[in-house]
């Protein structure tokens, strides 16, 4: 059975609906009405929900509300409180493996089946791929691809494996390769603990240029910055989506190759969460599931670049010619005639150990500076969000639950700013529990008040980085603000840019988006995150590791 590991995309607030009456509703409260299906799903399912599920719901006079959450969040919802179920009827994970991890404690999800599949591919811009010898249809092994990453022959991106299913799927393919396993053999704990695996994965994971926390963010940022992103590991289906849009706009498509020897699939299982005895609601779920597995729906899924769940390897023997010509295009490197066995994923305990090790051993250690707005406008929800995020990021027990643990070689510095610096710098070297809890207390003991001097805090962040001298670690500034900067001196921004240090800027409320997005982020090659859910936004920012 095809199985691909899923990890969290950070929480999103996008809501879609199958009927107009539910278009603006968030499924945050449970409805016992059997005609209402509240669905929580990964962002990978967005297009499928929009074009296939929602029309079916409308045709069948059902109200289908969809909320997009990452797999870590979905798993936490399933396992957090076995006596208080989350307000969803249907969970639609990116993969069976993480669904199993989320369901193992409470065992409340039932009748789950994979709906379709998509392999993880190595995709890049045609000139780069041609230079590497990775031409459409070429036989390209995982060793060849990892040799490119290891040697720095291309600027390669991947999502954080602990936060995103696509990165995690590729990550376990890498681990299987370093363990010397053929595709049908699962990684064991002894292999995970071995020196060849430990040294190989640590070396490779340190070479990735950018590790955003979600696949959507990965795709969007790579496409927007081809000068900084030569290639990436992502879903075949998302490359097909992007290529179709780009070709329609007269732009260059990406070329795809498949990591032979470590081929892995996401299988998108759809499962039901019973809230007491409601046979009519469960029957409507079963009808949706039956429809998605029907020949008509599977054909429609092919048209969206999703492979039938019962297909074998990369073979699509009955692919209609019009879909071959417009969706699974050979000139993009899409393969539909190759029989190749996918990797077998390890047990849940080995998966959890590997992801724990990613944060504490494998990933490149970092030097992270937080500039957190403590101005008067942060009173209320803003500051409550800061303190809640501090509980997640700097309480090791909670950080472990969200797979955001610090590395023993990390440095973490926090400033709270208003007109000046009202708190900090507070710095923690490493990941000692008491030190991190002390940092959390420093933040939560602060409070909002005063003006907003963003550039003053960025200048102090630049001082921190200068104080470390020639520091080989990954360096990032996380800036969070709801206001408008009182200054216009870009000296600190230019200095951060010159040092190659990106600013991840989180804006919410009445923030000056023009300044954050088009000046601070643009100059530093950073990332802009716009969310009114501050806890989710700070988790997103912390996921760039």
């Amino acid at each position: 059975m095809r199985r691909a590991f899923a990890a969290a995309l950070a929480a999103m607030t996008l809501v879609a609906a199958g009927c107009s009456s539910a278009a603006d509703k968030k499924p945050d409260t449970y409805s016992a009405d059997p005609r209402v299906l509240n669905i929580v799903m990964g962002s990978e399912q967005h297009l499928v929900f929009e074009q296939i599920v929602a029309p079916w719901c409308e045709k069948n006079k059902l109200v289908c509300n969809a909320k997009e959450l990452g797999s870590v969040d979905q798993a936490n919802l399933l396992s957090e409180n076995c006596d208080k179920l989350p307000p969803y009827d249907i969970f639609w994970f990116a993969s069976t493996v993480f669904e199993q991890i989320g369901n193992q404690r409470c065992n409340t999800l039932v009748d789950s089946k994979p709906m379709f599949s998509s392999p993880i591919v190595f995709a890049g811009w045609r000139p780069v791929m041609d230079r590497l010898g990775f031409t459409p249809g070429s036989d390209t092994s995982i060793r060849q691809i990892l040799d490119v990453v290891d040697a720095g022959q291309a600027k390669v991106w991947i999502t954080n494996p602990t936060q995103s299913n696509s990165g995690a799927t590729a990550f376990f393919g890498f681990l299987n390769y370093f363990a010397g396993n053929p595709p049908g053999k699962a990684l064991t704990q002894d292999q995970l603990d071995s020196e060849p695996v430990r040294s190989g994965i640590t070396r490779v994971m340190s070479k990735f240029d950018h590790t955003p926390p979600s696949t959507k963010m990965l795709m969007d940022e790579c496409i927007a910055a081809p000068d900084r992103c030569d290639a990436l590991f992502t879903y075949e289906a998302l490359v097909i989506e992007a290529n179709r849009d780009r070709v329609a706009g007269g732009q260059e498509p990406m070329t795809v190759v498949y990591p032979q020897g470590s081929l892995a699939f996401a299988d998108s299982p759809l499962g039901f969460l019973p809230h007491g005895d409601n046979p009519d609601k469960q029957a409507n779920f079963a009808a949706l599931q039956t429809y998605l597995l029907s020949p008509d729906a599977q054909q429609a899924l092919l048209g969206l670049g999703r492979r039938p769940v019962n297909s074998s390897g990369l073979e699509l023997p009955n692919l209609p010619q019009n879909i071959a010509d417009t969706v699974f295009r050979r000139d993009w490197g899409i393969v539909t005639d190759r029989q190749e066995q996918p990797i077998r994923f390890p047990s849940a305990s080995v998966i959890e150990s590997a992801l724990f090790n990613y944060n504490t051993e494998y990933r490149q250690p970092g030097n992270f500076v937080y500039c957190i707005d403590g101005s008067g406008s942060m009173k209320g929800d803003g500051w409550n969000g800061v303190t809640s995020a501090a509980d997640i990021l700097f309480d090791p027990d909670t950080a472990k639950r969200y797979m955001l643990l610090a590395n023993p070689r990390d440095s973490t510095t926090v400033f709270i700013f208003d007109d000046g610096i009202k708190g900090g710098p507070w710095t923690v070297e490493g990941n000692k529990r008491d030190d991190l809890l002390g940092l959390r207390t420093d933040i939560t003991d602060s409070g909002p008040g005063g003006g907003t001097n963003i550039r003053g805090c960025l200048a102090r962040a630049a001082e921190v980085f200068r104080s470390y001298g020639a520091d080989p670690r990954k360096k990032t500034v996380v800036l969070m603000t709801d206001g408008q900067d009182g200054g216009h001196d870009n000296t600190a921004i230019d200095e951060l840019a010159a040092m190659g240090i990106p600013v991840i800027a989180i804006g919410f409320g009445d923030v000056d988006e023009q300044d954050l997005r088009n000046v601070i982020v643009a100059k530093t090659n950073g990332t802009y995150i716009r969310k009114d859910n501050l806890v989710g936004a700070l988790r997103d920012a912390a996921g760039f590791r």
Side-chain angles (χ1 to χ4, degrees):
M1 183 180 190
R2 291 175 175 167
R3 296 185 175 182
F5 178 77
L9 300 173
M12 293 182 66
T13 58
L14 185 149
V15 178
C19 297
S20 58
S21 62
D24 296 322
K25 291 182 180 178
K26 296 180 182 180
D28 292 331
T29 57
Y30 181 71
S31 171
D33 186 340
R35 297 169 299 173
V36 175
L37 295 178
N38 286 344
I39 304 171
V40 59
M41 65 186 192
S43 64
E44 301 89 349
Q45 323 302 8
H46 178 91
L47 188 65
V48 175
F49 179 85
E50 187 179 70
Q51 296 197 17
I52 296 178
V53 174
W56 178 88
C57 292
E58 187 169 3
K59 179 181 178 181
N60 288 274
K61 296 180 172 55
L62 300 176
V63 176
C64 296
N65 304 306
K67 183 169 184 177
E68 293 181 10
L69 289 179
S71 297
V72 164
D73 290 308
Q74 290 186 54
N76 284 336
L77 282 174
L78 279 177
S79 62
E80 186 173 17
N81 188 336
C82 299
D83 298 321
K84 185 179 180 181
L85 298 178
Y88 304 103
D89 303 299
I90 297 172
F91 277 71
W92 203 353
F93 280 87
S95 82
T96 297
V97 172
F98 208 87
E99 177 195 73
Q100 291 175 329
I101 292 175
N103 201 37
Q104 64 182 341
R105 178 170 177 261
C106 302
N107 198 30
T108 48
L109 203 65
V110 300
D111 298 336
S112 179
K113 296 179 183 177
M115 296 292 102
F116 54 83
S117 66
S118 185
I120 291 292
V121 298
F122 185 72
W125 303 112
R126 186 65 175 265
V128 175
M129 300 292 271
D130 285 348
R131 171 172 59 82
L132 297 173
F134 298 166
T135 55
S138 63
D139 292 333
T140 309
S141 69
I142 183 62
R143 177 175 181 175
Q144 289 174 290
I145 296 172
L146 290 184
D147 283 349
V148 165
V149 175
D150 198 10
Q153 295 176 2
K155 292 170 284 190
V156 181
W157 292 9
I158 190 172
T159 56
N160 181 331
T162 70
Q163 302 300 303
S164 166
N165 178 61
S166 64
T169 304
F171 174 66
F172 280 98
F174 303 163
L175 288 169
N176 228 39
Y177 164 71
F178 287 119
N181 288 345
K185 181 179 179 181
L187 182 75
T188 67
Q189 186 65 48
D190 285 344
Q191 288 179 321
L192 184 67
D193 294 338
S194 69
E195 182 54 32
V197 171
R198 187 188 308 273
S199 60
I201 196 67
T202 301
R203 186 181 68 254
V204 164
M205 296 312 295
S206 70
K207 301 297 178 64
F208 288 104
D209 291 83
H210 194 50
T211 53
S214 81
T215 309
K216 183 180 186 305
M217 194 177 292
L218 174 83
M219 293 293 296
D220 290 347
E221 292 192 344
C222 183
I223 289 169
D227 58 320
R228 295 191 292 118
C229 174
D230 291 330
L232 72 169
F233 288 91
T234 188
Y235 299 114
E236 175 193 68
L238 296 188
V239 177
I240 290 173
E241 285 181 25
N243 279 359
R244 296 184 78 185
D245 288 342
R246 291 181 65 79
V247 169
Q251 297 173 298
E252 174 194 359
M254 285 185 157
T255 293
V256 163
V257 294
Y258 299 81
Q260 294 182 13
S262 290
L263 186 66
F265 287 80
D267 61 359
S268 299
L270 192 77
F272 184 70
L273 183 66
H275 290 252
D277 186 23
N278 196 333
D280 290 339
K281 185 183 282 279
Q282 190 159 359
N284 285 329
F285 158 78
L288 171 60
Q289 197 177 61
T290 299
Y291 170 69
L292 286 172
L293 293 173
S294 70
D296 286 348
Q298 291 288 299
Q299 188 81 350
L301 287 164
L302 273 173
L304 298 181
R306 273 68 177 177
R307 292 174 180 255
V309 74
N310 61 353
S311 58
S312 178
L314 294 173
E315 287 187 321
L316 294 173
N318 299 313
L319 185 67
Q321 192 61 47
N322 66 315
I323 294 179
D325 292 341
T326 60
V327 181
F328 292 87
R329 289 179 52 167
R330 289 182 178 274
D331 57 325
W332 296 344
I334 306 299
V335 171
T336 60
D337 59 357
R338 184 183 299 162
Q339 176 61 262
E340 183 171 351
Q341 184 179 7
I343 68 167
R344 182 182 172 193
F345 282 83
S347 67
S349 62
V350 174
I351 288 171
E352 290 171 331
S353 293
L355 293 177
F356 179 87
N357 290 349
Y358 172 79
N359 275 320
T360 58
E361 295 183 52
Y362 304 152
R363 71 166 171 83
Q364 185 179 4
N367 190 350
F368 308 110
V369 177
Y370 290 79
C371 280
I372 298 176
D373 191 340
S375 63
S377 60
M378 289 290 292
K379 290 179 181 177
D381 290 344
W383 194 254
N384 290 338
V386 169
T387 57
S388 295
D391 287 337
I392 291 174
L393 301 179
F394 304 123
D395 179 333
D397 293 335
T398 311
K400 181 179 180 181
R401 178 182 164 205
Y402 287 96
M403 301 185 189
L404 290 169
L405 285 166
N407 186 287
R409 294 176 289 166
D410 282 349
S411 295
T412 306
T413 300
V414 175
F415 291 96
I416 309 293
F417 68 90
D418 52 12
D419 304 279
I421 300 298
K422 67 190 305 177
W426 302 305
T427 298
V428 170
E429 301 289 353
N431 63 353
K432 291 183 179 178
R433 177 183 181 82
D434 289 346
D435 293 344
L436 290 167
L437 290 173
L439 178 57
R440 181 192 66 173
T441 300
D442 288 334
I443 296 169
T444 57
D445 284 351
S446 299
T452 306
N453 187 355
I454 294 171
R455 282 163 170 76
C457 191
L458 294 178
R460 295 294 300 273
E463 290 178 7
V464 170
F465 292 119
R466 284 199 306 270
S467 72
Y468 284 90
D471 185 356
R473 297 176 297 177
K474 187 175 186 177
K475 294 175 279 292
T476 305
V477 176
V478 176
L479 166 65
M480 186 285 301
T481 181
D482 73 339
Q484 301 183 13
D485 197 357
H488 302 284
D489 184 352
N490 290 334
T491 302
I493 299 169
D494 292 338
E495 185 175 3
L496 290 169
M499 290 190 285
I501 300 172
V503 175
I504 301 171
I506 300 167
F508 67 102
D510 295 326
V511 71
D512 182 353
E513 289 199 351
Q514 171 74 19
D515 187 38
L516 287 189
R517 185 194 297 272
N518 298 337
V519 180
I520 296 172
V521 167
K523 281 178 171 285
T524 62
N525 289 327
T527 297
Y528 180 65
I529 301 172
R530 172 71 202 217
K531 280 190 178 178
D532 290 328
N533 175 0
L534 188 55
V535 177
L538 281 167
R539 279 182 51 207
D540 277 358
F544 280 83
R545 296 179 175 176

